[in-house]
Amino acid sequence: MKVVIVGGGWSGCAAAVCARKGGAEVKLLERTDMILGTGLVGGIMRNNGRYTATEELIAMGGGEIFKIIDNNSRHKNINFPGHHHANLYDIGTTPGAIMSYLKEMNIDIVFKTRITKANLKDGSIDSIEDSEGNIYKGDVFIDTTGTAGPMNNCSKYGNGCAMCILRCPSFGGRVSLTGLVGIKEYIGKKPNGQIGAMSGSCKLYKESLSSAIVDELNTKGVAVVPIPEELIEDHLDIKACQQYALKEFKKNIILLDTGHAKLMTPFYDIEKLRRIPGFKNARYEDPYAGGKGNSMRFFAMAPRDNALKVEGINNLFCAGEKAGLLVGHTEAIVTGTLAGYNSIKFCKEEKLLEIPTELAIGEAIAYVREQMRTEEGLSKKYTFSGSVLFDRMKSLGLYSIDIEEINNKIERLGLKNIFSYSEEADKLKVKLKN
């Protein structure tokens, strides 16, 4: 079994791990020179409903990546406006820890590989090619290329390239594998009907902030600094991360400690920022032009079923933002794990797994697919941590931070350790065949 994954963000790494555990030969093709994509400057985990989704995946045997993240968290169980029991992972140590684990798993990672061509045969992908003419063959392919950029989209629908962590000028812009095979993709919109959405945060060098702010970040993990009325900028409506579109984020500078100071707004004019007490010498770490803007996202989402198989191609799966209007690292990891698992099921010609909607993960995957088919649904963003999806989780009784309760539900559904390919997984295999 040969599984080829295009895109090395959180979803691609999770797919690679699960497929490798299933016995596949896995090749992970990454456009840049580092894995994790936006996860290189991310950091927020387990906040609100993400806690539930995390523990569901751990109970299903797919929690290796979450455990590595937990072990590399700078702060655990913190609260900030609208968000509870959050962990903040260290963006300095986490990528290296994940990279080491992928190497231990004998996953073949090929860096600086921008896929530009797909070769089809009888409704399936036979092979793909990169910009250098190298050819990669596989039995099944997983598209985790995301939806952000490339530069022309950031210029046309945003404020221009802000030189973000995706680094399109250096490695070329994102190319969608789903698009290369001729599948028409969904395009997300802002609430006002404009296309796309802007990434929701920036990073400041902690060293450029006042000692009082740095001390608060180091000890508490969060700093909330009131903004003088005349210096308020409100960019919340254009954010992809609508779970942070709260009045507290408009009236205050909210910083989170992920190694750098994570500024919870898509951009902020640096001259105004430096007039706020404590920010006199503030400097952006990511994006470099954080006073101008950030990356534009949600331009290319694949039509797919609830097993994350792309509709219209026999051997293509998707995960992360490619699988829909799902925002966040947790969302990427859980969909990546399912895509990796189903790639193995596909190779073995077994029935694909759809996670039941009695679980937060299954409900999210099914609900987002349903919503992408409507105009109104395409104007919203979905995350376990807030806004539309979290509200839905609570209304359906799917939100829980009781680990024993979550484990009992997984046991009852017959999904315990399914992603670890254990004895429970073999039992489910028999159930699915019947």
Side-chain angles (χ1 to χ4, degrees), residues 23 37 244 339 348 394 418:
Y244 306 119
K348 293 182 176 180
K394 290 185 287 186
I418 180 140

Side-chain angles (χ1 to χ4, degrees), residues 399-417:
Y399 169 49
S400 174
I401 58 172
D402 185 329
I403 296 176
E404 183 178 359
E405 177 185 50
I406 293 168
N407 272 281
N408 288 339
K409 183 188 284 189
I410 300 293
E411 290 267 16
R412 188 174 70 251
L413 291 170
L415 297 174
K416 183 68 175 176
N417 289 328

Side-chain angles (χ1 to χ4, degrees), residues 201-357:
S201 67
C202 302
K203 262 53 72 200
L204 299 170
Y205 285 101
K206 278 202 295 187
E207 299 89 337
S208 71
L209 306 177
S210 71
S211 58
I213 291 176
V214 173
D215 288 344
E216 191 166 4
L217 285 171
N218 288 340
T219 56
K220 300 179 181 178
V222 58
V224 180
V225 182
I227 306 172
E229 189 75 28
E230 69 277 12
L231 298 178
I232 288 176
E233 289 190 7
D234 184 6
H235 307 300
L236 299 180
D237 287 342
I238 65 173
K239 290 176 59 151
C241 310
Q242 284 299 292
Q243 67 271 32
Y244 306 119
L246 307 172
K247 65 179 185 297
E248 292 89 347
F249 289 83
K250 176 181 177 181
K251 296 182 178 181
N252 301 280
I253 292 290
I254 295 179
L255 302 175
L256 304 177
D257 177 27
T258 59
H260 294 300
K262 188 175 180 70
L263 172 64
M264 301 304 292
T265 185
F267 63 97
Y268 210 100
D269 181 85
I270 195 163
E271 290 186 31
K272 281 188 179 180
L273 183 64
R274 286 174 172 169
R275 290 166 59 192
I276 298 170
F279 293 84
K280 180 181 178 181
N281 300 309
R283 178 183 166 191
Y284 283 103
E285 189 274 334
D286 170 76
Y288 277 127
K292 172 185 176 181
N294 211 321
S295 60
M296 297 298 295
R297 298 156 65 181
F298 294 108
F299 291 109
M301 295 163 288
R304 48 79 179 174
D305 61 20
N306 291 335
L308 300 182
K309 183 178 177 297
V310 176
E311 296 172 345
I313 292 290
N314 296 331
N315 62 340
L316 179 61
F317 291 81
C318 65
E321 286 185 8
K322 183 58 66 177
L325 293 147
L326 283 160
V327 181
H329 309 320
T330 301
E331 293 76 2
I333 293 166
V334 299
T335 54
T337 300
L338 179 60
Y341 181 80
N342 276 332
S343 71
I344 299 299
K345 304 289 281 184
F346 176 86
C347 289
K348 293 182 176 180
E349 299 184 350
E350 296 174 354
K351 185 175 180 179
L352 304 180
L353 173 67
E354 293 185 9
I355 297 177
T357 55

Side-chain angles (χ1 to χ4, degrees), residues 186 302-306 308 311 323-326 357 362-380 382 388-389 392 396:
Y186 291 107
R304 48 79 179 174
D305 61 20
N306 291 335
L308 300 182
E311 296 172 345
L325 293 147
L326 283 160
T357 55
E363 174 60 25
I365 291 170
Y367 182 62
V368 168
R369 179 187 183 226
E370 179 184 302
Q371 291 301 299
M372 282 200 300
R373 298 181 173 194
T374 69
E375 282 296 313
E376 182 182 1
L378 284 171
S379 69
K380 299 176 181 178
Y382 304 85
V388 182
L389 183 56
R392 186 173 177 83
L396 295 174

